[in-house]
Amino acid sequence: MRPAGALMLQRLRRRLDARFDAWTRRRTPASLPVRFDRHRIYVLPTRFGLFFSLLLLTMGAGALNYNNNPALLLCLLLGGAGIASLLQAQLQLSGLEIHAIGAEPVAAGTPLQLRVHARADAGRERRGLRLECAGQATRMTLDNGAGEADLALATSVRGWLDPGRLRISTTRPLGLARAWAYAWADAPLLVYPAPEPAGPPLPAGQGEHAQPRLTPSGDDVHHLREWRRGDSLRAVAWKASARRDALLVREFEQPAGADIVLDWQALHALRHEDRIRRLARWVDEAERESRRYRLRLPGQPELGPAHGAAHRHACLRALALLPREGGSVAAS
């Protein structure tokens, strides 16, 4: 258990950090690219830097007291190196530019991989830069004036996700000082609704073009296959199984409509969010089966019929941005 004094110091530090963040934070997001200049970079000593400064003060006082010129010269040399490290830490970030921030949409509850692209003028080595966002951290190095890093952000609800403020910092070259800067970009990220984990199969297809579909029940026997867990005993071909000394199951062929209609109004028995989750699940199932489908949502034009990555994104985006039951647009 931590002592009470350590807990109080930790709470005080958190409050001071929150006050400082609120003071340095921009009131509105900035459009990309965001470039760091001397007005946006902060430099403070690290803990090791504070210890180093105290050590130099002690050495200087001792050298002056005993009139020891070599010790005084060493103290001045170390002090000059410390001051130069402050300038070098600031130069690590000076001229750095956050060029782009983006991520592929994911379902709510799945970590979102945030990609950060940075650029800077070539000729200055920039290594070991630390990126922090939403409690996650990673390292980034710029080679030939360009660098990229990934951050895994947690997601919980559908809609737009504001990644918040990005903090980039460095303690190079000597670890005596920490230079940092903030970038709060106007780049909201999309989070799809979490699909329903289990539920009924896809609705029956509609349309003139029908395709054969293999199902455990139907009209025409298509072929026999080996029994799998979950198959109904009614579909077992007992005579054929006796001849082969293995359980065989009949698979039937029945026509399935080419166009599946995913209608919001057809799910009136479900709650608002449950409808969205089921429709998201059906969109993924239709894509896995390469079926054409259309999506009907209240107050929006019908999407489809089509299939493919672009159509899936359009449908899931429409579901993600549906107003919540209270009427507000989904956002986090």
Side-chain angles (χ1 to χ4, degrees):
M1 181 178 295
R2 295 183 180 180
L7 290 176
M8 292 181 61
L9 289 176
Q10 186 178 9
R11 293 175 182 173
L12 179 61
R13 182 180 177 183
R14 289 178 179 175
R15 291 180 181 177
L16 292 176
D17 289 344
R19 291 278 184 91
F20 185 80
D21 288 347
W23 176 62
T24 58
R25 181 166 186 166
R26 294 173 59 94
R27 297 304 177 214
T28 57
S31 58
L32 293 174
V34 176
R35 187 177 181 86
F36 301 138
D37 54 20
R38 60 187 181 87
H39 300 289
R40 305 183 64 170
I41 301 175
Y42 307 92
V43 183
L44 282 177
T46 61
R47 291 182 180 179
F48 177 64
L50 293 175
F51 170 76
F52 182 77
S53 301
L54 181 61
L55 180 63
L56 288 183
L57 289 176
T58 305
M59 288 179 57
L64 290 174
N65 185 44
Y66 291 100
N67 197 20
N68 191 328
N69 291 332
L72 185 62
L73 178 61
L74 177 61
C75 180
L76 293 176
L77 289 175
L78 292 176
I83 295 175
S85 70
L86 295 177
L87 178 61
Q88 187 63 26
Q90 191 263 350
L91 291 177
Q92 285 284 307
L93 301 183
S94 180
L96 187 68
E97 182 180 279
I98 302 298
H99 182 70
I101 295 176
E104 292 294 331
V106 297
T110 304
L112 184 144
Q113 296 297 324
L114 177 68
R115 293 187 300 274
V116 180
H117 302 268
R119 293 181 181 178
D121 297 333
R124 183 180 300 162
E125 183 180 2
R126 303 172 192 262
R127 298 187 177 276
L129 301 178
R130 179 180 173 87
L131 267 71
E132 299 175 67
C133 184
Q136 303 296 319
T138 187
R139 296 284 179 178
M140 181 177 66
T141 296
L142 272 67
D143 294 326
N144 298 323
E148 180 178 329
D150 292 340
L151 281 166
L153 304 185
T155 60
S156 57
V157 296
R158 62 181 177 88
W160 292 116
L161 172 67
D162 181 9
R165 191 172 49 169
L166 180 69
R167 183 177 188 264
I168 182 169
S169 61
T170 181
T171 57
R172 287 177 176 260
L174 301 178
L176 299 177
R178 175 177 285 105
W180 75 94
Y182 296 108
W184 187 23
D186 185 12
L189 309 173
L190 183 63
V191 179
Y192 291 151
E196 188 181 26
L202 285 169
Q206 300 177 5
E208 298 178 357
H209 305 286
Q211 300 174 346
R213 185 182 181 189
L214 297 179
T215 61
S217 61
D219 301 325
D220 301 325
V221 178
H222 185 265
H223 69 281
L224 298 176
R225 62 168 173 82
E226 292 186 0
W227 180 85
R228 293 194 294 261
R229 180 176 294 180
D231 290 334
S232 174
L233 293 179
R234 296 181 179 179
V236 175
W238 297 106
K239 293 183 179 180
S241 300
R243 290 194 299 267
R244 293 281 300 273
D245 197 19
L247 283 180
L248 299 177
V249 177
R250 304 184 191 92
E251 272 202 330
F252 298 87
E253 186 178 70
Q254 66 178 11
D259 299 343
I260 301 173
V261 178
L262 307 180
D263 193 351
W264 173 271
Q265 299 299 337
L267 302 176
H268 57 85
L270 299 178
R271 293 182 299 178
H272 185 83
E273 291 297 327
D274 291 340
R275 291 195 203 186
I276 296 175
R277 297 177 64 194
R278 178 164 296 180
L279 289 174
R281 174 175 173 267
W282 280 349
V283 167
D284 289 338
E285 283 192 4
E287 284 295 336
R288 283 194 295 268
E289 297 182 12
S290 299
R291 304 281 303 280
R292 296 204 320 166
Y293 58 96
R294 64 182 70 193
L295 180 64
R296 294 175 180 171
L297 296 177
Q300 299 186 21
E302 184 176 287
L303 298 175
H307 73 87
H311 184 54
R312 175 181 179 271
H313 171 71
C315 293
L316 292 179
R317 185 181 189 276
L319 290 170
L321 299 182
L322 277 176
R324 299 200 178 277
E325 199 164 5
S328 60
V329 177
S332 59

